[in-house]
Amino acid sequence: MWPLYAAGFTTAFGAHGIAANLGAHTKGAVTSLLVLGGLLALYDGAEVLLKPVFGTLADRIGARPVLLGGLAAFAAASALYVVADSPGWLWAARFGQGAAASAFSPSASALVARLNPAAKLGRAFGSYGFYKSIGYTLGPLLGGVLVWVGGLRLLFTVLAVLGVAVAVWAALAVPAVAPLPRARQTVLDLARRLADPVFLAPTAALAAATAALSVGVGFLPVSGRASGLGTVATGAAVSVLAGCAAVVQPRAGRALDEGRLTTRSGLAVGLLVTAAGLACAMLPGLTGILVAAAVIGVGTGLITPLGFAALAANTPAERLGQTMGAAELGRELGDAGGPLLVAAVASLTTLTYGFGALAVLIGLGAVIALAHWRSGG
């Protein structure tokens, strides 16, 4: 399992480590906010397009080859910028990293499900989510140090070495898991399966959690600066959010495995807590920002392992890659949709109402989930 956890760390560290340092340390490549936005969107755009494709490929040829190929491609894309070091190749390297992560991220999730019995899925996905959260936390911090010491090329060098190391580790330690026989599936069959509440409810919860996480990371510092807070305080808020999510995920998974928590009730409560955290972000000053960060972190940390465990438990083993790829696509849409919603509302009113709009939307989801759970549906 450890190489799979390392793969989760790699995609999170690579995504946030570079994104957090593009604007401040690439003057020749980032000539405007529009260019910066394009570079930031390139990684996620590649994932939105390719994760379902690679998830289906993992079902067809086996998740392990796709995992190893994705990690190797991630290392190669990172090395591309190290060698070329030009603005044009930065775009190519960033897209290559996103495409590679589209291969090894859903494959790692599928292997987590295949290599663990149903009774331990919560704990397994809780640990996997923990190490991804560590990657999200260390990415901006350690990435900033590396860029300060040796520029963006040093950060890409570290990512290339990390990709090779994790690929070799996975090749030595992760067992081969043969693809299972699959019944023929039409496009209509796929649409029905993805529209089934068994898939749709956990995926919607995961998308909501990712939307809240993205909004917290992106907009809580903006709210802090508007309140006169410095970069240290706003950076601490982001770290609190990621840290709380990292701490909660293994505990939520363990509670699920031990029967102290169900996926239905856990997802509903997680959505409610996440909405409460966004509501706290409407409060002024450092206290409101830190409380919001902590509560959002707890809510998203509760949702993530339960959502993936529910998907794994209710998906035929031969379709795990496809399901995880589609679920990751849902998360990416939440990652983009949450900030867009908050920004749109904030542009018409204020950022406070932007937080409130997303809180209401996620809160409605929590109410629907609670009502569905209590009715036994």
Side-chain angles (χ1 to χ4, degrees):
M1 294 300 297
W2 284 103
L4 302 180
Y5 299 155
F9 173 88
T10 299
T11 183
F13 181 77
H16 279 208
I18 294 176
N21 292 283
L22 278 174
H25 301 285
T26 52
K27 294 180 181 179
V30 180
T31 55
S32 68
L33 288 176
L34 183 61
V35 172
L36 176 60
L39 279 169
L40 291 173
L42 200 58
Y43 190 100
D44 290 330
E47 290 190 306
V48 167
L49 291 173
L50 297 175
K51 272 185 174 178
V53 175
F54 283 117
T56 302
L57 181 65
D59 290 333
R60 182 168 299 172
I61 68 172
R64 186 173 180 270
V66 179
L67 172 76
L68 298 179
L71 288 166
F74 184 86
S78 302
L80 181 66
Y81 180 73
V82 176
V83 175
D85 190 22
S86 68
W89 286 111
L90 176 60
W91 287 82
R94 195 62 178 152
F95 181 81
Q97 286 182 327
S102 302
F104 72 78
S105 181
S107 299
S109 299
L111 283 166
V112 169
R114 286 289 302 275
L115 295 174
N116 286 277
K120 293 184 178 180
L121 284 176
R123 187 180 287 105
F125 278 107
S127 297
Y128 181 71
F130 171 81
Y131 288 103
K132 286 193 76 168
S133 294
I134 294 298
Y136 289 133
T137 304
L138 289 182
L141 300 175
L142 184 55
V145 172
L146 291 171
V147 171
W148 178 72
V149 171
L152 198 63
R153 290 179 74 184
L154 178 59
L155 176 54
F156 272 90
T157 301
V158 170
L159 290 173
V161 173
L162 180 62
V164 170
V166 176
V168 172
W169 190 9
L172 295 173
V174 176
V177 180
L180 298 173
R182 299 177 303 150
R184 187 175 180 274
Q185 177 180 254
T186 66
V187 174
L188 184 59
D189 292 332
L190 175 61
R192 285 172 177 167
R193 190 161 63 83
L194 297 185
D196 192 312
V198 169
F199 170 84
L200 207 54
T203 302
L206 288 169
T210 309
L213 182 65
S214 183
V215 165
V217 171
F219 288 99
L220 283 179
V222 176
S223 182
R225 286 194 294 272
S227 299
L229 302 175
T231 55
V232 174
T234 56
V238 174
S239 296
V240 166
L241 193 160
C244 288
V247 169
V248 168
Q249 289 192 60
R251 289 166 171 77
R254 192 176 302 114
L256 176 66
D257 292 340
E258 294 173 355
R260 294 182 284 114
L261 193 64
T262 66
T263 53
R264 288 178 180 175
S265 61
L267 290 176
V269 171
L271 288 169
L272 198 60
V273 172
T274 302
L278 289 165
C280 290
M282 300 174 70
L283 302 175
L286 179 60
T287 301
I289 292 171
L290 288 177
V291 171
V295 177
I296 292 172
V298 170
T300 57
L302 184 59
I303 292 169
T304 303
L306 301 185
F308 277 115
L311 290 170
N314 293 287
T315 298
E318 68 273 14
R319 301 287 183 187
L320 275 171
Q322 185 180 71
T323 294
M324 293 303 174
E328 290 280 3
L329 171 60
R331 295 186 78 196
E332 296 298 335
L333 293 175
D335 195 17
L340 285 174
L341 172 64
V342 171
V345 174
S347 66
L348 297 174
T349 54
T350 65
L351 182 56
T352 299
Y353 288 102
F355 286 128
L358 186 58
V360 169
L361 187 62
I362 294 178
L364 287 174
V367 171
I368 293 171
L370 282 170
H372 187 67
W373 168 52
R374 288 177 178 175
S375 67

